[in-house]
PDB file of all heavy atoms in Angstrom:
ATOM      1  N   GLU Y 236     303.666 128.774 112.937  1.00 92.00           N
ATOM      2  CA  GLU Y 236     303.934 127.934 111.767  1.00 92.00           C
ATOM      3  C   GLU Y 236     304.408 126.530 112.163  1.00 92.00           C
ATOM      4  O   GLU Y 236     304.185 125.572 111.408  1.00 92.00           O
ATOM      5  CB  GLU Y 236     305.011 128.587 110.896  1.00 92.00           C
ATOM      6  CG  GLU Y 236     304.670 129.981 110.400  1.00 92.00           C
ATOM      7  CD  GLU Y 236     303.436 129.979 109.520  1.00 92.00           C
ATOM      8  OE1 GLU Y 236     303.228 128.988 108.798  1.00 92.00           O
ATOM      9  OE2 GLU Y 236     302.685 130.975 109.543  1.00 92.00           O
ATOM     10  N   LEU Y 237     305.038 126.389 113.332  1.00 95.00           N
ATOM     11  CA  LEU Y 237     305.676 125.127 113.697  1.00 95.00           C
ATOM     12  C   LEU Y 237     304.755 124.173 114.478  1.00 95.00           C
ATOM     13  O   LEU Y 237     304.949 122.954 114.438  1.00 95.00           O
ATOM     14  CB  LEU Y 237     306.929 125.405 114.530  1.00 95.00           C
ATOM     15  CG  LEU Y 237     308.073 126.111 113.782  1.00 95.00           C
ATOM     16  CD1 LEU Y 237     309.115 126.622 114.761  1.00 95.00           C
ATOM     17  CD2 LEU Y 237     308.692 125.163 112.767  1.00 95.00           C
ATOM     18  N   ILE Y 238     303.754 124.705 115.180  1.00 96.00           N
ATOM     19  CA  ILE Y 238     302.901 123.836 115.998  1.00 96.00           C
ATOM     20  C   ILE Y 238     301.915 123.008 115.179  1.00 96.00           C
ATOM     21  O   ILE Y 238     301.721 121.813 115.466  1.00 96.00           O
ATOM     22  CB  ILE Y 238     302.175 124.676 117.072  1.00 96.00           C
ATOM     23  CG1 ILE Y 238     303.175 125.189 118.096  1.00 96.00           C
ATOM     24  CG2 ILE Y 238     301.079 123.854 117.760  1.00 96.00           C
ATOM     25  CD1 ILE Y 238     302.572 126.109 119.140  1.00 96.00           C
ATOM     26  N   PRO Y 239     301.266 123.562 114.153  1.00 96.00           N
ATOM     27  CA  PRO Y 239     300.308 122.746 113.390  1.00 96.00           C
ATOM     28  C   PRO Y 239     300.945 121.471 112.845  1.00 96.00           C
ATOM     29  O   PRO Y 239     302.067 121.468 112.365  1.00 96.00           O
ATOM     30  CB  PRO Y 239     299.896 123.691 112.242  1.00 96.00           C
ATOM     31  CG  PRO Y 239     300.077 125.051 112.811  1.00 96.00           C
ATOM     32  CD  PRO Y 239     301.295 124.960 113.674  1.00 96.00           C
ATOM     33  N   GLY Y 240     300.178 120.354 112.961  1.00 97.00           N
ATOM     34  CA  GLY Y 240     300.686 119.069 112.502  1.00 97.00           C
ATOM     35  C   GLY Y 240     301.522 118.339 113.527  1.00 97.00           C
ATOM     36  O   GLY Y 240     302.086 117.277 113.221  1.00 97.00           O
ATOM     37  N   THR Y 241     301.576 118.871 114.761  1.00 97.00           N
ATOM     38  CA  THR Y 241     302.361 118.231 115.826  1.00 97.00           C
ATOM     39  C   THR Y 241     301.511 118.130 117.103  1.00 97.00           C
ATOM     40  O   THR Y 241     300.418 118.700 117.178  1.00 97.00           O
ATOM     41  CB  THR Y 241     303.635 119.046 116.152  1.00 97.00           C
ATOM     42  OG1 THR Y 241     303.265 120.213 116.910  1.00 97.00           O
ATOM     43  CG2 THR Y 241     304.368 119.457 114.897  1.00 97.00           C
ATOM     44  N   GLU Y 242     302.056 117.431 118.111  1.00 97.00           N
ATOM     45  CA  GLU Y 242     301.409 117.349 119.411  1.00 97.00           C
ATOM     46  C   GLU Y 242     301.922 118.414 120.377  1.00 97.00           C
ATOM     47  O   GLU Y 242     301.600 118.402 121.565  1.00 97.00           O
ATOM     48  CB  GLU Y 242     301.618 115.953 120.021  1.00 97.00           C
ATOM     49  CG  GLU Y 242     300.933 114.843 119.247  1.00 97.00           C
ATOM     50  CD  GLU Y 242     301.077 113.489 119.941  1.00 97.00           C
ATOM     51  OE1 GLU Y 242     301.826 113.420 120.920  1.00 97.00           O
ATOM     52  OE2 GLU Y 242     300.409 112.533 119.501  1.00 97.00           O
ATOM     53  N   LEU Y 243     302.699 119.359 119.873  1.00 97.00           N
ATOM     54  CA  LEU Y 243     303.271 120.404 120.716  1.00 97.00           C
ATOM     55  C   LEU Y 243     302.175 121.303 121.295  1.00 97.00           C
ATOM     56  O   LEU Y 243     301.134 121.517 120.683  1.00 97.00           O
ATOM     57  CB  LEU Y 243     304.234 121.269 119.907  1.00 97.00           C
ATOM     58  CG  LEU Y 243     305.526 120.605 119.431  1.00 97.00           C
ATOM     59  CD1 LEU Y 243     306.217 121.499 118.412  1.00 97.00           C
ATOM     60  CD2 LEU Y 243     306.450 120.347 120.613  1.00 97.00           C
ATOM     61  N   ILE Y 244     302.463 121.837 122.490  1.00 97.00           N
ATOM     62  CA  ILE Y 244     301.598 122.857 123.071  1.00 97.00           C
ATOM     63  C   ILE Y 244     302.456 124.093 123.368  1.00 97.00           C
ATOM     64  O   ILE Y 244     303.667 123.996 123.526  1.00 97.00           O
ATOM     65  CB  ILE Y 244     300.908 122.377 124.361  1.00 97.00           C
ATOM     66  CG1 ILE Y 244     301.946 122.129 125.478  1.00 97.00           C
ATOM     67  CG2 ILE Y 244     300.066 121.138 124.101  1.00 97.00           C
ATOM     68  CD1 ILE Y 244     301.312 121.868 126.849  1.00 97.00           C
ATOM     69  N   ALA Y 245     301.816 125.256 123.406  1.00 96.00           N
ATOM     70  CA  ALA Y 245     302.519 126.504 123.720  1.00 96.00           C
ATOM     71  C   ALA Y 245     301.664 127.329 124.660  1.00 96.00           C
ATOM     72  O   ALA Y 245     300.467 127.514 124.420  1.00 96.00           O
ATOM     73  CB  ALA Y 245     302.817 127.294 122.443  1.00 96.00           C
ATOM     74  N   THR Y 246     302.247 127.801 125.733  1.00 96.00           N
ATOM     75  CA  THR Y 246     301.542 128.643 126.708  1.00 96.00           C
ATOM     76  C   THR Y 246     301.859 130.091 126.384  1.00 96.00           C
ATOM     77  O   THR Y 246     302.956 130.575 126.617  1.00 96.00           O
ATOM     78  CB  THR Y 246     301.977 128.297 128.141  1.00 96.00           C
ATOM     79  OG1 THR Y 246     301.824 126.889 128.350  1.00 96.00           O
ATOM     80  CG2 THR Y 246     301.160 129.050 129.160  1.00 96.00           C
ATOM     81  N   MET Y 247     300.865 130.783 125.836  1.00 94.00           N
ATOM     82  CA  MET Y 247     301.070 132.128 125.292  1.00 94.00           C
ATOM     83  C   MET Y 247     299.866 133.016 125.634  1.00 94.00           C
ATOM     84  O   MET Y 247     298.832 132.533 126.079  1.00 94.00           O
ATOM     85  CB  MET Y 247     301.247 132.043 123.769  1.00 94.00           C
ATOM     86  CG  MET Y 247     302.424 131.187 123.317  1.00 94.00           C
ATOM     87  SD  MET Y 247     304.020 131.934 123.657  1.00 94.00           S
ATOM     88  CE  MET Y 247     304.062 133.195 122.389  1.00 94.00           C
ATOM     89  N   PRO Y 248     299.973 134.341 125.409  1.00 94.00           N
ATOM     90  CA  PRO Y 248     298.863 135.255 125.726  1.00 94.00           C
ATOM     91  C   PRO Y 248     297.582 134.952 124.983  1.00 94.00           C
ATOM     92  O   PRO Y 248     297.615 134.560 123.810  1.00 94.00           O
ATOM     93  CB  PRO Y 248     299.415 136.630 125.320  1.00 94.00           C
ATOM     94  CG  PRO Y 248     300.901 136.498 125.401  1.00 94.00           C
ATOM     95  CD  PRO Y 248     301.196 135.079 125.007  1.00 94.00           C
ATOM     96  N   ARG Y 249     296.472 135.092 125.670  1.00 93.00           N
ATOM     97  CA  ARG Y 249     295.148 134.822 125.086  1.00 93.00           C
ATOM     98  C   ARG Y 249     294.897 135.702 123.853  1.00 93.00           C
ATOM     99  O   ARG Y 249     294.237 135.262 122.902  1.00 93.00           O
ATOM    100  CB  ARG Y 249     294.066 135.076 126.127  1.00 93.00           C
ATOM    101  CG  ARG Y 249     292.660 134.700 125.680  1.00 93.00           C
ATOM    102  CD  ARG Y 249     291.624 135.154 126.694  1.00 93.00           C
ATOM    103  NE  ARG Y 249     291.848 134.542 127.990  1.00 93.00           N
ATOM    104  CZ  ARG Y 249     291.318 133.357 128.369  1.00 93.00           C
ATOM    105  NH1 ARG Y 249     290.564 132.686 127.521  1.00 93.00           N
ATOM    106  NH2 ARG Y 249     291.557 132.873 129.568  1.00 93.00           N
ATOM    107  N   ALA Y 250     295.390 136.929 123.871  1.00 91.00           N
ATOM    108  CA  ALA Y 250     295.131 137.861 122.769  1.00 91.00           C
ATOM    109  C   ALA Y 250     295.596 137.317 121.431  1.00 91.00           C
ATOM    110  O   ALA Y 250     295.063 137.695 120.375  1.00 91.00           O
ATOM    111  CB  ALA Y 250     295.803 139.213 123.043  1.00 91.00           C
ATOM    112  N   LEU Y 251     296.574 136.418 121.428  1.00 93.00           N
ATOM    113  CA  LEU Y 251     297.053 135.848 120.169  1.00 93.00           C
ATOM    114  C   LEU Y 251     295.988 135.030 119.471  1.00 93.00           C
ATOM    115  O   LEU Y 251     296.043 134.829 118.250  1.00 93.00           O
ATOM    116  CB  LEU Y 251     298.285 134.980 120.427  1.00 93.00           C
ATOM    117  CG  LEU Y 251     299.574 135.717 120.824  1.00 93.00           C
ATOM    118  CD1 LEU Y 251     300.651 134.716 121.242  1.00 93.00           C
ATOM    119  CD2 LEU Y 251     300.074 136.579 119.671  1.00 93.00           C
ATOM    120  N   SER Y 252     295.002 134.546 120.217  1.00 91.00           N
ATOM    121  CA  SER Y 252     293.946 133.734 119.619  1.00 91.00           C
ATOM    122  C   SER Y 252     293.089 134.551 118.662  1.00 91.00           C
ATOM    123  O   SER Y 252     292.417 133.999 117.786  1.00 91.00           O
ATOM    124  CB  SER Y 252     293.052 133.124 120.698  1.00 91.00           C
ATOM    125  OG  SER Y 252     292.327 134.134 121.399  1.00 91.00           O
ATOM    126  N   ARG Y 253     293.108 135.885 118.810  1.00 85.00           N
ATOM    127  CA  ARG Y 253     292.328 136.748 117.940  1.00 85.00           C
ATOM    128  C   ARG Y 253     293.173 137.279 116.781  1.00 85.00           C
ATOM    129  O   ARG Y 253     292.692 138.097 115.995  1.00 85.00           O
ATOM    130  CB  ARG Y 253     291.773 137.922 118.751  1.00 85.00           C
ATOM    131  CG  ARG Y 253     290.793 137.485 119.832  1.00 85.00           C
ATOM    132  CD  ARG Y 253     290.231 138.665 120.598  1.00 85.00           C
ATOM    133  NE  ARG Y 253     291.203 139.270 121.489  1.00 85.00           N
ATOM    134  CZ  ARG Y 253     291.442 138.851 122.727  1.00 85.00           C
ATOM    135  NH1 ARG Y 253     290.777 137.823 123.214  1.00 85.00           N
ATOM    136  NH2 ARG Y 253     292.337 139.444 123.487  1.00 85.00           N
ATOM    137  N   GLY Y 254     294.421 136.801 116.711  1.00 83.00           N
ATOM    138  CA  GLY Y 254     295.309 137.270 115.660  1.00 83.00           C
ATOM    139  C   GLY Y 254     296.123 136.153 115.078  1.00 83.00           C
ATOM    140  O   GLY Y 254     295.597 135.237 114.426  1.00 83.00           O
ATOM    141  N   SER Y 255     297.437 136.180 115.340  1.00 85.00           N
ATOM    142  CA  SER Y 255     298.350 135.256 114.662  1.00 85.00           C
ATOM    143  C   SER Y 255     298.155 133.790 115.045  1.00 85.00           C
ATOM    144  O   SER Y 255     298.555 132.901 114.302  1.00 85.00           O
ATOM    145  CB  SER Y 255     299.802 135.683 114.957  1.00 85.00           C
ATOM    146  OG  SER Y 255     300.065 135.712 116.340  1.00 85.00           O
ATOM    147  N   PHE Y 256     297.538 133.501 116.205  1.00 92.00           N
ATOM    148  CA  PHE Y 256     297.319 132.099 116.607  1.00 92.00           C
ATOM    149  C   PHE Y 256     295.885 131.645 116.329  1.00 92.00           C
ATOM    150  O   PHE Y 256     295.438 130.649 116.899  1.00 92.00           O
ATOM    151  CB  PHE Y 256     297.631 131.937 118.098  1.00 92.00           C
ATOM    152  CG  PHE Y 256     299.085 131.685 118.398  1.00 92.00           C
ATOM    153  CD1 PHE Y 256     300.082 132.296 117.646  1.00 92.00           C
ATOM    154  CD2 PHE Y 256     299.477 130.868 119.451  1.00 92.00           C
ATOM    155  CE1 PHE Y 256     301.417 132.097 117.931  1.00 92.00           C
ATOM    156  CE2 PHE Y 256     300.818 130.658 119.729  1.00 92.00           C
ATOM    157  CZ  PHE Y 256     301.790 131.278 118.948  1.00 92.00           C
ATOM    158  N   SER Y 257     295.175 132.336 115.463  1.00 91.00           N
ATOM    159  CA  SER Y 257     293.774 131.982 115.212  1.00 91.00           C
ATOM    160  C   SER Y 257     293.648 130.640 114.512  1.00 91.00           C
ATOM    161  O   SER Y 257     292.541 130.064 114.452  1.00 91.00           O
ATOM    162  CB  SER Y 257     293.108 133.074 114.376  1.00 91.00           C
ATOM    163  OG  SER Y 257     293.778 133.254 113.131  1.00 91.00           O
ATOM    164  N   ASN Y 258     294.756 130.102 113.982  1.00 91.00           N
ATOM    165  CA  ASN Y 258     294.717 128.783 113.335  1.00 91.00           C
ATOM    166  C   ASN Y 258     294.833 127.647 114.334  1.00 91.00           C
ATOM    167  O   ASN Y 258     294.790 126.468 113.951  1.00 91.00           O
ATOM    168  CB  ASN Y 258     295.840 128.672 112.293  1.00 91.00           C
ATOM    169  CG  ASN Y 258     297.227 128.775 112.919  1.00 91.00           C
ATOM    170  OD1 ASN Y 258     297.416 129.525 113.888  1.00 91.00           O
ATOM    171  ND2 ASN Y 258     298.197 128.050 112.376  1.00 91.00           N
ATOM    172  N   LEU Y 259     294.977 127.963 115.608  1.00 96.00           N
ATOM    173  CA  LEU Y 259     295.137 126.934 116.662  1.00 96.00           C
ATOM    174  C   LEU Y 259     293.959 126.984 117.621  1.00 96.00           C
ATOM    175  O   LEU Y 259     293.314 128.018 117.785  1.00 96.00           O
ATOM    176  CB  LEU Y 259     296.438 127.159 117.424  1.00 96.00           C
ATOM    177  CG  LEU Y 259     297.747 127.050 116.630  1.00 96.00           C
ATOM    178  CD1 LEU Y 259     298.921 127.487 117.482  1.00 96.00           C
ATOM    179  CD2 LEU Y 259     297.947 125.636 116.110  1.00 96.00           C
ATOM    180  N   ALA Y 260     293.697 125.861 118.281  1.00 97.00           N
ATOM    181  CA  ALA Y 260     292.740 125.818 119.380  1.00 97.00           C
ATOM    182  C   ALA Y 260     293.485 126.162 120.679  1.00 97.00           C
ATOM    183  O   ALA Y 260     294.719 126.130 120.728  1.00 97.00           O
ATOM    184  CB  ALA Y 260     292.113 124.439 119.472  1.00 97.00           C
ATOM    185  N   PHE Y 261     292.729 126.506 121.707  1.00 97.00           N
ATOM    186  CA  PHE Y 261     293.380 126.769 122.999  1.00 97.00           C
ATOM    187  C   PHE Y 261     292.455 126.340 124.125  1.00 97.00           C
ATOM    188  O   PHE Y 261     291.224 126.219 123.960  1.00 97.00           O
ATOM    189  CB  PHE Y 261     293.773 128.231 123.147  1.00 97.00           C
ATOM    190  CG  PHE Y 261     292.625 129.196 123.284  1.00 97.00           C
ATOM    191  CD1 PHE Y 261     292.115 129.526 124.537  1.00 97.00           C
ATOM    192  CD2 PHE Y 261     292.055 129.794 122.169  1.00 97.00           C
ATOM    193  CE1 PHE Y 261     291.058 130.409 124.673  1.00 97.00           C
ATOM    194  CE2 PHE Y 261     291.004 130.683 122.280  1.00 97.00           C
ATOM    195  CZ  PHE Y 261     290.513 131.000 123.545  1.00 97.00           C
ATOM    196  N   CYS Y 262     293.061 126.097 125.281  1.00 97.00           N
ATOM    197  CA  CYS Y 262     292.324 125.730 126.486  1.00 97.00           C
ATOM    198  C   CYS Y 262     292.943 126.468 127.677  1.00 97.00           C
ATOM    199  O   CYS Y 262     294.053 126.994 127.588  1.00 97.00           O
ATOM    200  CB  CYS Y 262     292.336 124.219 126.705  1.00 97.00           C
ATOM    201  SG  CYS Y 262     293.997 123.518 126.953  1.00 97.00           S
ATOM    202  N   GLU Y 263     292.219 126.489 128.774  1.00 97.00           N
ATOM    203  CA  GLU Y 263     292.741 127.119 129.982  1.00 97.00           C
ATOM    204  C   GLU Y 263     293.862 126.254 130.572  1.00 97.00           C
ATOM    205  O   GLU Y 263     293.765 125.014 130.540  1.00 97.00           O
ATOM    206  CB  GLU Y 263     291.643 127.318 131.015  1.00 97.00           C
ATOM    207  CG  GLU Y 263     290.481 128.185 130.543  1.00 97.00           C
ATOM    208  CD  GLU Y 263     290.937 129.610 130.223  1.00 97.00           C
ATOM    209  OE1 GLU Y 263     291.821 130.138 130.926  1.00 97.00           O
ATOM    210  OE2 GLU Y 263     290.382 130.174 129.260  1.00 97.00           O
ATOM    211  N   PRO Y 264     294.898 126.843 131.116  1.00 97.00           N
ATOM    212  CA  PRO Y 264     295.962 126.022 131.723  1.00 97.00           C
ATOM    213  C   PRO Y 264     295.448 125.324 132.989  1.00 97.00           C
ATOM    214  O   PRO Y 264     294.644 125.893 133.734  1.00 97.00           O
ATOM    215  CB  PRO Y 264     297.040 127.046 132.073  1.00 97.00           C
ATOM    216  CG  PRO Y 264     296.332 128.355 132.140  1.00 97.00           C
ATOM    217  CD  PRO Y 264     295.201 128.282 131.173  1.00 97.00           C
ATOM    218  N   PRO Y 265     295.894 124.090 133.234  1.00 97.00           N
ATOM    219  CA  PRO Y 265     295.424 123.342 134.402  1.00 97.00           C
ATOM    220  C   PRO Y 265     296.164 123.739 135.698  1.00 97.00           C
ATOM    221  O   PRO Y 265     295.923 123.151 136.747  1.00 97.00           O
ATOM    222  CB  PRO Y 265     295.713 121.893 134.021  1.00 97.00           C
ATOM    223  CG  PRO Y 265     296.924 121.987 133.151  1.00 97.00           C
ATOM    224  CD  PRO Y 265     296.772 123.263 132.380  1.00 97.00           C
TER     225      PRO Y 265
END
Side-chain angles (χ1 to χ4, degrees):
E236 302 298 327
L237 294 167
I238 291 176
T241 75
E242 294 185 352
L243 292 168
I244 66 170
T246 307
M247 301 288 285
R249 185 188 300 271
L251 290 172
S252 66
R253 296 181 288 274
S255 57
F256 275 35
S257 59
N258 63 325
L259 297 172
F261 69 90
C262 62
E263 300 297 324

